[in-house]
Amino acid sequence: LRLHVMRPTWHFVAPDDIRWLVQLTAPRVKATHSYYFKKSELDDATIKRTNKILTKALRDGNQMTRDELRQVVKRAGVEPGDSERFGRIMFRAELDGVVCSGARNGNQFTYALVDERVPKSRLMERDEALAELARRYFDTRSPASAQDFAWWSGLTLTDVKRAIDSCGSLLRREVIADKTYWTSDKAKPSRINVIGTAHLLSAYDEYFISYKDRTAAIHPKFDQKTMASKLVFDAPMVVDGFSAGGWKRVVSNGEVTIQLSPFVTLKRTEQQSLKLAAERYAKFLGKAARITSSGRQLLVM
């Protein structure tokens, strides 16, 4: 199910994890976004009222689009305001555990009540929840630093330390290049040889978004400060394990144009790897591929 949680941004969360994850991370998100709620004139009394309106509108399995709920709120006597104000109304309803995603209505997303979508999802004590989130993070992303985990989870460094301590012997401390990292014994080193491979990743892909320090994944010709934002907000292309530029798509009826924007000079073998990655993506879409690089047709024999 889809909702805002953790840092926060959109996440797809397993139904059984929604309640404990929202309960753990929402208080900090509310605190860090208090200025924006105030800016939109959304005090606790107003939010309590809009949550009640949304609950009434969505009960008994009713699932509604954002525009439909906007009209419901307006008819109930609360001014939804511009998209920013109403977006924060819905954002707060997610943080309060009221709504999450419903079924798609054509091409539109809908909202539904958490209590109806996941009536029996579990809750945890805070220390148990901290340990569970840390364990899942380090099991799948080791080695990583406390700062990496704090960035990914949205937790404070104080809570991160508490979470790591709660894991006890499940996590192992190690120092690499004078930096402290934590590794889970369950994290298995990849046996995949990345040399000679290329991937077209989406924006916010976990390969980069999982870490505050993305130096290890950035091409050595470019520094973290220059490329960090591009790796998060742009769709990166990865060659031999390193970010080597960005890419975007233009979809038409019969084909998809894959536009590659490398920030390094690509070797012929790297071009070939990217061509294969682009063709895989086009095949997934069921369309023919047209591949360009920096505005020119990419030709690889």
Side-chain angles (χ1 to χ4, degrees):
L1 299 174
R2 191 184 80 148
L3 76 164
H4 282 89
V5 72
M6 300 204 310
R7 286 185 294 276
T9 188
W10 287 116
H11 283 79
F12 286 104
V13 180
D16 196 43
D17 294 329
I18 281 182
R19 280 195 171 85
W20 70 263
L21 198 53
V22 169
Q23 183 183 53
L24 175 65
T25 63
R28 174 162 168 78
V29 175
K30 291 177 186 178
T32 57
H33 283 70
S34 60
Y35 166 80
Y36 299 103
F37 290 122
K38 184 177 181 180
K39 181 181 177 182
S40 295
E41 299 181 345
L42 295 172
D43 56 18
D44 288 343
T46 303
I47 290 297
K48 185 176 181 180
R49 186 179 176 190
T50 54
N51 282 349
K52 187 178 292 187
I53 294 168
L54 295 171
T55 299
K56 182 178 180 180
L58 294 172
R59 68 170 47 132
D60 298 325
N62 197 19
Q63 299 181 10
M64 303 176 72
T65 66
R66 184 187 179 104
D67 287 343
E68 290 170 337
L69 288 172
R70 180 187 180 90
Q71 294 305 313
V72 166
V73 168
K74 188 170 186 176
R75 287 196 298 269
V78 177
E79 177 53 52
D82 57 16
S83 60
E84 186 174 329
R85 174 179 160 91
F86 187 66
R88 291 192 179 120
I89 289 173
M90 298 307 302
F91 177 46
R92 183 60 185 269
E94 292 174 315
L95 295 177
D96 289 340
V98 176
V99 301
C100 61
S101 63
R104 292 286 286 269
N105 181 1
N107 291 326
Q108 296 188 69
F109 291 102
T110 69
Y111 289 90
L113 294 178
V114 170
D115 284 344
E116 294 187 357
R117 292 284 266 177
V118 282
K120 296 181 180 180
S121 62
R122 60 180 172 161
L123 286 172
M124 299 182 191
E125 295 296 329
R126 182 168 180 79
D127 279 352
E128 181 187 5
L130 283 169
E132 178 69 12
L133 189 59
R135 181 188 64 77
R136 294 192 188 191
Y137 175 80
F138 288 104
D139 278 356
T140 55
R141 295 163 176 83
S142 295
S145 69
Q147 290 78 10
D148 290 332
F149 180 42
W151 151 255
W152 178 84
S153 65
L155 297 171
T156 65
L157 281 172
T158 299
D159 274 341
V160 164
K161 184 179 184 303
R162 188 173 170 184
I164 291 172
D165 289 344
S166 296
C167 288
S169 61
L170 295 176
L171 297 181
R172 182 177 70 258
R173 180 181 179 273
E174 56 184 320
V175 177
I176 304 172
D178 296 326
K179 292 185 179 180
T180 299
Y181 294 88
W182 296 91
T183 301
S184 167
D185 288 335
K186 291 186 178 180
K188 298 179 180 179
S190 173
R191 300 189 179 204
I192 299 173
N193 182 8
V194 299
I195 303 302
T197 64
H199 299 277
L200 301 179
L201 303 181
S202 65
Y204 290 94
D205 189 89
E206 287 291 309
Y207 191 64
F208 299 104
I209 203 70
S210 292
Y211 309 96
K212 182 176 183 179
D213 181 356
R214 306 180 183 99
T215 306
I218 298 175
H219 196 283
K221 289 185 177 180
F222 289 82
D223 60 40
Q224 168 103 347
K225 185 176 180 180
T226 302
M227 295 309 305
S229 62
K230 288 183 175 296
L231 297 178
V232 176
F233 302 113
D234 293 345
M237 62 182 193
V238 174
V239 179
D240 297 345
F242 291 112
S243 59
W247 71 282
K248 62 182 178 179
R249 67 174 193 176
V250 178
V251 180
S252 60
N253 289 334
E255 69 176 16
V256 55
T257 299
I258 309 293
Q259 299 177 349
L260 307 178
S261 299
F263 50 72
V264 295
T265 301
L266 296 174
K267 299 176 184 176
R268 193 174 187 81
T269 54
E270 293 170 338
Q271 291 186 46
Q272 181 65 49
S273 296
L274 283 165
K275 181 174 182 288
L276 292 174
E279 288 173 346
R280 285 197 303 270
Y281 180 69
K283 183 178 180 180
F284 172 76
L285 295 180
K287 295 181 179 293
R290 179 176 180 270
I291 308 164
T292 66
S293 178
S294 299
R296 294 175 296 176
Q297 186 78 27
L298 183 65
L299 297 176
V300 179
M301 298 301 292

